[in-house]
């Protein structure tokens, strides 16, 4: 049975067999009888399907999906083109513009980044409508921690961008000296002026990739 796709299924085969992983979907089945669950099932593993393991150049870790109706599309910080750009993503765009002089996009769909090798991973892959953090304890973090550890094992150099305290709590999983960790405050309007802006995450990522013989990321959208 295909869970994500052939690429990731082979890497995560043992994880998929574990009881906790099966239990996640039992919980989601019951929850879906009472709540809207986001993202929709078909989008749940979009970050994985759009960015294969061997193509990963950069990992951006989010906490959990957007909880408003129709917002979450399976990529951290991303929304579909017909959805208003969320405040955190607007601030990411401001920093992108300041750093690389890339025009501020008019939409919030980060699929192009995913296709460029930017793995947009939420640590928790689902959420109830209008209840942020509602699925933080159902097992997703055990799964995504294993995914981060798997990426940490890569011999090719990867950039990990950790925005905010939650993402930075995953730093202990990134032990490979081949990789670069870039940290800053969360881009939320509540915290962005306490150390998010001006850190040049995007140009530093590309400088690092070039230095290690990898093709830089085209961050334009």
């Amino acid at each position: 049975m295909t869970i994500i796709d052939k690429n990731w299924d082979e890497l995560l085969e043992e994880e998929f067999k574990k009881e906790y992983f099966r239990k996640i979907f039992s919980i989601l089945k019951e929850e879906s009888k009472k709540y809207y669950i986001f993202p929709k099932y078909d989008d749940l593993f979009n970050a994985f399907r759009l960015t294969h393991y061997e193509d990963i150049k950069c990992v951006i870790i989010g906490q959990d999906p957007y909880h408003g109706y129709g917002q979450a599309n399976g990529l951290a910080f991303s929304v579909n083109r017909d959805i208003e750009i969320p405040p955190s993503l607007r601030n990411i765009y401001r920093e992108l513009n300041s750093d690389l002089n890339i025009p501020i996009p008019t939409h919030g769909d980060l699929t192009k980044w995913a296709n460029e090798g930017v793995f947009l991973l939420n640590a928790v892959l689902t959420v109830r409508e209008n209840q942020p953090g509602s699925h933080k304890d159902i097992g997703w973090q055990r799964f995504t921690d294993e995914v981060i550890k798997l990426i940490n094992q890569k011999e090719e150099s990867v950039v990990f961008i950790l925005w905010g305290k939650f993402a930075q709590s995953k730093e202990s999983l990134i032990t490979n000296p081949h990789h670069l960790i870039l940290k800053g405050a969360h881009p939320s309007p509540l915290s962005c002026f306490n150390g998010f802006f001006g850190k040049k995450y995007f140009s530093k990522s590309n400088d690092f990739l070039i230095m290690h013989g990898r093709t830089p990321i085209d961050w334009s959208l």
Side-chain angles (χ1 to χ4, degrees):
M1 183 180 87
T2 299
I3 294 179
I4 299 176
D5 61 22
K6 185 174 184 293
N7 173 274
W8 281 103
D9 283 6
E10 289 178 357
L11 291 164
L12 294 167
E13 182 179 7
E14 293 306 312
E15 217 58 33
F16 293 155
K17 294 176 182 176
K18 293 179 180 176
E19 178 62 26
Y20 87 88
F21 189 82
R22 292 196 294 267
K23 187 176 179 182
I24 289 171
F25 287 90
S26 296
I27 293 169
L28 292 177
K29 185 177 180 180
E30 290 304 308
E31 289 252 316
S32 65
K33 296 174 182 177
K34 298 179 285 185
Y35 308 100
Y36 283 118
I37 305 299
F38 301 132
K40 60 184 181 181
Y41 182 78
D42 288 348
D43 291 339
L44 184 57
F45 292 109
N46 273 350
F48 297 80
R49 294 192 182 104
L50 292 170
T51 313
H52 285 177
Y53 180 79
E54 64 268 21
D55 298 328
I56 294 172
K57 298 176 182 177
C58 176
V59 180
I60 298 178
I61 299 175
Q63 189 162 354
D64 60 354
Y66 295 121
H67 54 85
Y69 189 86
Q71 286 185 298
N73 66 5
L75 304 176
F77 294 103
S78 175
V79 293
N80 291 327
R81 285 177 176 255
D82 58 341
I83 300 295
E84 183 178 358
I85 301 171
S88 292
L89 185 54
R90 287 191 182 277
N91 286 330
I92 291 170
Y93 286 170
R94 284 179 59 189
E95 176 64 14
L96 176 67
N97 174 256
S98 173
D99 184 5
L100 294 176
N101 201 33
I102 289 174
I104 293 177
T106 57
H107 63 84
D109 183 3
L110 302 182
T111 297
K112 183 172 179 290
W113 284 5
N115 290 330
E116 282 283 317
V118 183
F119 189 51
L120 296 159
L121 177 67
N122 278 318
V124 178
L125 295 185
T126 57
V127 69
R128 293 177 190 164
E129 183 180 21
N130 297 328
Q131 295 186 45
S134 47
H135 286 173
K136 66 182 178 63
D137 297 321
I138 71 170
W140 281 129
Q141 290 196 64
R142 180 173 172 182
F143 173 69
T144 55
D145 280 359
E146 290 303 316
V147 172
I148 294 168
K149 291 176 186 176
L150 191 63
I151 299 168
N152 179 61
Q153 295 172 14
K154 284 174 68 75
E155 299 214 357
E156 284 186 303
S157 297
V158 173
V159 181
F160 288 82
I161 297 179
L162 308 180
W163 287 324
K165 291 181 180 178
F166 178 84
Q168 289 164 22
S169 73
K170 305 298 181 181
E171 184 175 2
S172 62
L173 305 175
I174 307 161
T175 58
N176 189 332
H178 293 163
H179 305 323
L180 174 68
I181 298 172
L182 299 175
K183 296 187 288 187
H186 195 276
S188 162
L190 299 175
S191 56
C192 62
F193 293 105
N194 293 319
F196 172 75
F197 291 115
K199 296 290 186 71
K200 298 188 178 296
Y201 313 97
F202 308 101
S203 59
K204 286 180 178 177
S205 294
N206 278 352
D207 289 347
F208 177 80
L209 292 168
I210 291 168
M211 184 170 62
H212 289 84
R214 305 202 69 187
T215 306
I217 295 161
D218 178 1
W219 292 101
S220 64
L221 290 166

